Amino acid sequence: MAEPVRNIDVCVVGAGAAGLMCGIEAGRRGRSVVVLDHARAPGEKIRISGGGRCNFTNLGVGPHAFLSSNPRFALSALRRYTQHDFVDRVNRAGIAWHEKTLGQLFCDGSAKQIVQMLVDDLRAAQGDLRLGAAVDTLERDGEGFRLVTSDGRTIACSSLVVATGGKSIPKMGATGWAYDVARRFDLPLVETRPALVPLTFEPGLLERLKPLAGVAVDVEARAGEGGRKGAFREAMLFTHRGLSGPAILQISSYWREGEAITLDMAPGVDVFGRLKSERADNGRQAVATALSRVVPKRLAETMSTAEGAPATLADAPDKTLRRLDEAVRRWTVKPVGSEGYRTAEVTLGGVDTAALDQKTMQARGQPGLYFIGEAVDVTGWLGGYNFQWAWSSGWAAGQVC
């Protein structure tokens, strides 16, 4: 015997940060809410984020930290539900937190506390969380929608909120379902690509840089062309595939195939002046030894060899020292690609903001259909910004759906 149709006000597909937030807010308005997810546990990206401590927001949230075809689209939601509003929610839940570098806020304990807070709030708002239930079919049903789930149940709702995220980290269950829904309802998409992701090199360059695998160095990294330019001063890590670390993840959102990136591996340091001074004080020391006072030893040795530096500083003319300065402070290199969605923290692009109302997140020309979170063409910097977009966009939709 077929299961009866369940009629509700709001069906949220996706039990991640944005979806749970939306379900909570809609439930608090007295709306009947079901939050669906094909995963067996809610908030999996929350759970693994920040090394298991969840970098849940950033004190520096602002439009400067978001990429989009329309950078101003996110302003309405971010201003109406701010990072401070979410911190207040965390405080009310009794979750201890601390600030790290660059305004990043982390739980003192486990990220599971954030997930539990959201699940508890959804339950308190009379929302129903259904896990292990994928959407098999979706269709318009009058002014609302009808969904059939993988467990054979049918849901009829007046509002459908798509909060399934992007393609990043497929092992966590990420899919392009949100984009499929957008296409079905004739909504435009901005081309998607992995973002906040390590960059890779071609085999020849990898072989030359093999001795540097595992070396970390603070850098100022630059990438992008035209109006798409990013510059970040954070840590970088040489890997067996290319480059990683916060600085590289940040600029990966601005980099495109065929472009070079520029790295200053001694930001703020006059490398030429430092080496010249060392030469005057102790010309008998090795060039690499002097350079290792500016950058890590293995990097100093690799750079010295690559630039053909003589054995000692005394034998190194000014032009050699200037070449080393250029190599360290303006290393320009062309990646061949990225590690892809497998390791990307987020997806760049998505549902075109031109098709959405910036205040409600409702699709234009499609009453009752909403897109929130990572599924939308709004991508934040590394450091809690994408979670804040999830909280803010989920909150905005939850006020009206």
Side-chain angles (χ1 to χ4, degrees):
M1 182 175 178
E3 288 278 348
V5 176
R6 182 174 179 184
N7 291 281
I8 58 170
D9 295 321
V10 183
C11 180
V12 181
V13 183
L20 289 170
M21 191 71 172
C22 180
I24 292 164
E25 292 301 312
R28 287 176 174 177
R29 291 172 43 237
R31 303 282 277 170
S32 55
V33 177
V34 170
V35 178
L36 296 176
D37 203 299
H38 67 277
R40 295 293 174 182
E44 282 293 86
K45 270 196 172 181
I46 300 173
R47 181 183 62 80
I48 68 168
S49 68
R53 293 184 183 272
C54 188
N55 179 192
F56 57 82
T57 192
N58 193 296
L59 295 178
V61 166
H64 67 283
F66 293 88
L67 291 81
S68 173
S69 54
N70 176 11
R72 297 190 61 81
F73 177 84
L75 283 177
S76 176
L78 292 171
R79 285 175 174 170
R80 288 183 296 132
Y81 191 84
T82 71
Q83 61 270 40
H84 307 293
D85 293 320
F86 193 76
V87 170
D88 287 344
R89 187 178 293 233
V90 171
N91 287 338
R92 288 195 299 272
I95 299 173
W97 55 271
H98 59 279
E99 179 182 352
K100 295 183 75 173
T101 58
L102 304 174
Q104 301 170 54
L105 303 189
F106 289 78
C107 297
D108 286 357
S110 171
K112 293 178 182 179
Q113 295 174 287
I114 299 292
V115 178
Q116 193 60 54
M117 174 189 76
L118 295 168
V119 170
D120 289 346
D121 284 352
L122 180 65
R123 185 180 301 113
Q126 306 302 309
D128 182 12
L129 177 61
R130 283 183 50 195
L131 301 171
V135 178
D136 280 350
T137 63
L138 165 65
E139 59 185 16
R140 265 286 184 191
D141 184 17
E143 294 183 355
F145 303 87
R146 181 177 293 254
L147 302 87
V148 178
T149 60
S150 56
D151 54 5
R153 300 184 185 185
T154 300
I155 296 174
C157 58
S158 56
S159 293
L160 173 66
V161 184
V162 180
T164 52
K167 300 178 181 178
S168 56
I169 319 183
K171 71 178 182 180
M172 302 293 295
T175 70
W177 189 78
Y179 313 136
D180 295 337
V181 174
R183 281 187 285 264
R184 171 161 188 170
F185 290 97
D186 298 321
L187 302 178
L189 295 170
V190 174
E191 183 182 3
T192 58
R193 57 183 293 115
L196 301 183
V197 62
L199 299 177
T200 58
F201 292 153
E202 52 89 12
L205 180 56
L206 280 179
E207 183 62 30
R208 294 196 296 276
L209 297 178
K210 190 174 181 179
L212 295 178
V215 171
V217 59
D218 288 333
V219 303
E220 182 173 277
R222 295 180 178 274
E225 296 179 355
R228 171 182 44 81
K229 291 185 177 180
F232 297 91
R233 187 168 176 173
E234 294 189 61
M236 179 184 79
L237 176 69
F238 288 90
T239 74
H240 292 289
R241 295 186 180 92
L243 297 174
S244 188
I248 299 302
L249 299 188
Q250 294 280 36
I251 64 167
S252 71
S253 296
Y254 295 83
W255 173 81
R256 296 293 182 271
E257 287 78 2
E259 296 177 358
I261 61 175
T262 302
L263 301 162
D264 180 350
M265 294 179 283
V269 177
D270 177 3
V271 176
F272 170 73
R274 187 77 68 87
L275 292 176
K276 191 172 181 178
S277 177
E278 290 276 356
R279 185 179 62 188
D281 292 342
N282 180 12
R284 290 177 297 179
Q285 67 179 309
V287 173
T289 299
L291 191 57
S292 69
R293 297 188 179 93
V294 177
V295 296
K297 182 180 178 181
R298 274 193 281 164
L299 179 57
E301 292 170 346
T302 299
M303 288 292 185
S304 297
T305 300
E307 296 305 318
T312 66
L313 273 175
D315 295 325
D318 281 3
K319 65 179 182 180
T320 299
L321 303 188
R322 289 191 186 281
R323 283 205 313 272
L324 285 168
D325 181 284
E326 184 76 13
V328 170
R329 298 194 59 205
R330 282 172 289 278
W331 183 39
T332 300
V333 63
K334 189 177 289 187
V336 294
S338 76
E339 292 190 4
Y341 290 114
R342 180 181 63 84
T343 59
E345 296 201 14
V346 293
T347 302
L348 196 68
V351 179
D352 195 332
T353 57
L356 305 176
D357 183 288
Q358 66 176 356
K359 185 175 181 179
T360 65
M361 309 302 296
Q362 184 172 221
R364 299 185 188 280
Q366 294 291 345
L369 179 62
Y370 302 78
F371 290 84
I372 58 177
E374 190 183 342
V376 179
D377 175 34
V378 175
T379 304
W381 288 354
L382 183 72
Y385 296 97
N386 288 293
F387 272 130
Q388 187 57 48
W389 169 243
W391 314 134
S392 296
S393 60
W395 179 92
Q399 306 309 303
V400 294
C401 65

